[in-house]
């Protein structure tokens, strides 16, 4: 697919937080957008976004904000997409392209199909970049540089719209990959959603004892960093990719059961096998992809 230059006259970011704010900043820095309007729930956050130069103006009224828009980005927690598409269904100009940044793709596409009479100009996307911080103040222009962004168009998606969204993400330094929404949700359940749920569970398990926290060091900090992520965002991701995540939890539970049995039977060889295969898999992953993370 050939790449074209991006020029967006008016971008509306619905959900002016880390991801929406970072895309706005990055497009501004690249000179690819003339005006960015932020839409959100909290007036303080939106005022801060204007003060920081993330957006040029803001509105609480999606319909009014998109009246002359050429690109709309949904960057709200994924379960909130329903209410946004419900408003866009009656207010979106014909020429406008809609994209999103949601961490689950089948649910967001189902949401678009529920409300939009024409889904051909909705291009589902998920930048594989983020931090554990939330809100416009956490946004920064470099967030997507050299990071992957997955697009999951289907047979209904307009090819030109896909090319425009691809060009937008490439303009901010992302490397675009295209796959099906089902594959996206399965892969992300394994490498992102399961680790987040495991981090929440580990902190809760240990957090019953403040005494233990006092002795936690760098390993615990590294392993649990993602447990500081937005609980609201993660509730939505978990519920919107429920079956894939349940499958990965089952796989993790099986692995923990093997370790538990090995401990109960003092089976050092079994532990060594498991620890060695995990170390080898991670070392190979890091040597192949570590410099692209
Ligand atoms: P964030 O909390 O920083 O920002 C979300 C913003 O949406 C907030 O300002 C919130 O007030 C606003 N919002 C919530 N419900 C709304 C509604 N109904 N209408 C309007 N605004 C609403 O979150 P974020 O990290 O920027 O995540 C945004 C999206 O990007 C989510 O769908 C998330 O799954 C996805 N994502 C997050 C990361 C990450 O690491 N944080 C990475 C990739 C994708």
């Amino acid at each position: 697919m050939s790449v074209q230059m991006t020029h967006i006259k008016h971008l509306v970011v619905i959900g002016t937080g880390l991801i929406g704010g970072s895309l706005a900043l990055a497009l501004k820095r690249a000179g690819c957008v003339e005006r960015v309007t932020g839409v959100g729930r909290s007036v303080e956050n939106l005022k801060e976004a204007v003060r920081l130069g993330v957006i040029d103006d803001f509105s609480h009224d999606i319909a009014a904000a998109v009246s002359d828009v050429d690109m709309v980005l949904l960057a709200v927690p994924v379960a909130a997409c329903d209410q946004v598409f419900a408003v866009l269904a009656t207010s979106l100009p014909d020429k406008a392209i809609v994209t999103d940044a949601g961490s689950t793709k089948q649910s967001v596409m189902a949401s678009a199909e529920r409300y939009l009479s024409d889904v051909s100009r909705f291009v589902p996307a998920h930048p594989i970049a983020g931090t554990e911080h939330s809100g416009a103040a956490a946004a920064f222009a470099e967030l997507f540089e050299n990071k992957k962004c997955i697009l999951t168009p289907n047979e209904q998606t307009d090819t030109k719209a896909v090319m425009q969204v691809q060009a937008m993400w490439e303009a901010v330094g992302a490397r675009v990959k295209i796959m099906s929404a089902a594959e996206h949700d399965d892969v992300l359940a394994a490498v992102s959603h399961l680790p987040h749920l495991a981090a929440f569970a580990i902190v809760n398990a240990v957090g019953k004892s403040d005494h233990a926290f006092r002795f936690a060091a760098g390993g615990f900090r590294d392993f649990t960093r993602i447990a500081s992520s937005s609980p609201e965002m993660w509730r939505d991701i978990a519920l919107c990719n429920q079956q894939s995540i349940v499958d990965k939890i089952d796989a993790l539970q099986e692995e923990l059961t093997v370790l538990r049995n090995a401990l109960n039977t003092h089976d050092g060889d079994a532990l060594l096998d498991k620890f060695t295969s995990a170390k080898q898999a991670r070392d190979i992953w890091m040597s192949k992809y570590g410099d692209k993370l």
Side-chain angles (χ1 to χ4, degrees), residues 234-253:
W234 278 97
R235 174 202 61 197
D236 284 10
I237 293 170
L239 293 175
C240 289
N241 199 19
Q242 179 249 355
Q243 192 51 56
S244 296
I245 299 174
V246 167
D247 291 345
K248 308 305 173 203
I249 289 177
D250 289 347
L252 176 62
Q253 272 175 337

Side-chain angles (χ1 to χ4, degrees), residues 156-223:
Q156 290 171 270
T157 320
D158 178 70
T159 308
K160 279 197 186 133
V162 175
M163 287 168 71
Q164 276 173 272
V165 171
Q166 173 166 358
M168 178 181 79
W169 284 106
E170 287 176 345
V172 299
R175 290 175 287 126
V176 169
K177 307 278 171 199
I178 295 188
M179 62 172 69
S180 73
E183 183 184 1
H184 168 279
D185 287 357
D186 184 61
V187 169
L188 270 292
V191 297
S192 172
H193 307 168
L194 179 70
H196 276 82
L197 266 63
F200 290 130
I202 296 260
V203 173
N204 282 335
V206 173
K208 290 177 184 134
S209 153
D210 183 55
H211 180 65
F213 266 137
R214 270 193 276 154
F215 295 94
F220 186 80
R221 181 198 56 209
D222 294 348
F223 188 83

Side-chain angles (χ1 to χ4, degrees), residues 15 17-19 40-41 45 75-77 80 83 101-103 126-127 129-131 134-135 233:
L18 169 70
I19 299 294
R41 293 178 302 188
N45 181 57
V76 293
Q83 64 193 88
S103 304
H126 177 203
T131 73
S134 305
M233 184 175 98

Side-chain angles (χ1 to χ4, degrees), residues 3-249:
V3 173
Q4 49 189 24
M5 284 301 292
T6 287
H7 183 78
I8 301 168
K9 277 197 176 143
H10 187 199
L11 170 72
V12 171
V13 175
I14 303 176
T16 313
L18 169 70
I19 299 294
S22 295
L23 183 65
L25 280 176
L27 286 170
K28 281 171 173 243
R29 193 182 59 165
C32 293
V33 66
E34 286 178 28
R35 175 183 165 211
V36 181
T37 299
V39 176
R41 293 178 302 188
S42 142
V43 73
E44 291 76 27
N45 181 57
L46 291 166
K47 280 185 179 163
E48 180 73 347
V50 172
R51 195 186 67 74
L52 294 170
V54 173
I55 54 175
D56 300 301
D57 48 70
F58 64 82
S59 171
H60 296 292
D61 181 347
I62 294 175
V66 301
S67 63
D68 67 344
V69 75
D70 37 8
M71 180 77 78
V72 180
L73 173 78
L74 271 69
V76 293
V78 282
C81 287
D82 258 3
Q83 64 193 88
V84 176
F85 281 124
V87 180
L88 291 179
T90 54
S91 55
L92 201 62
D94 288 344
K95 67 176 174 82
I97 292 176
V98 183
T99 186
D100 78 308
S103 304
T104 63
K105 294 276 54 90
Q106 290 174 107
S107 74
V108 176
M109 289 168 81
S111 175
E113 271 159 26
R114 254 192 304 281
Y115 292 98
L116 301 183
S117 54
D118 173 13
V119 289
S120 66
R121 292 172 77 75
F122 170 56
V123 182
H126 177 203
I128 311 297
T131 73
E132 68 278 28
H133 304 299
S134 305
F140 56 102
E142 299 78 16
L143 178 61
F144 307 112
E145 280 173 15
N146 287 317
K147 300 292 191 304
K148 291 189 190 72
C149 179
I150 299 174
L151 307 188
T152 64
N154 63 16
E155 57 289 343
Q156 290 171 270
T157 320
D158 178 70
T159 308
K160 279 197 186 133
V162 175
M163 287 168 71
Q164 276 173 272
V165 171
Q166 173 166 358
M168 178 181 79
W169 284 106
E170 287 176 345
V172 299
R175 290 175 287 126
V176 169
K177 307 278 171 199
I178 295 188
M179 62 172 69
S180 73
E183 183 184 1
H184 168 279
D185 287 357
D186 184 61
V187 169
L188 270 292
V191 297
S192 172
H193 307 168
L194 179 70
H196 276 82
L197 266 63
F200 290 130
I202 296 260
V203 173
N204 282 335
V206 173
K208 290 177 184 134
S209 153
D210 183 55
H211 180 65
F213 266 137
R214 270 193 276 154
F215 295 94
F220 186 80
R221 181 198 56 209
D222 294 348
F223 188 83
T224 60
R225 176 182 64 78
I226 53 180
S228 290
S229 304
S230 159
E232 181 189 24
M233 184 175 98
W234 278 97
R235 174 202 61 197
D236 284 10
I237 293 170
L239 293 175
C240 289
N241 199 19
Q242 179 249 355
Q243 192 51 56
S244 296
I245 299 174
V246 167
D247 291 345
K248 308 305 173 203
I249 289 177

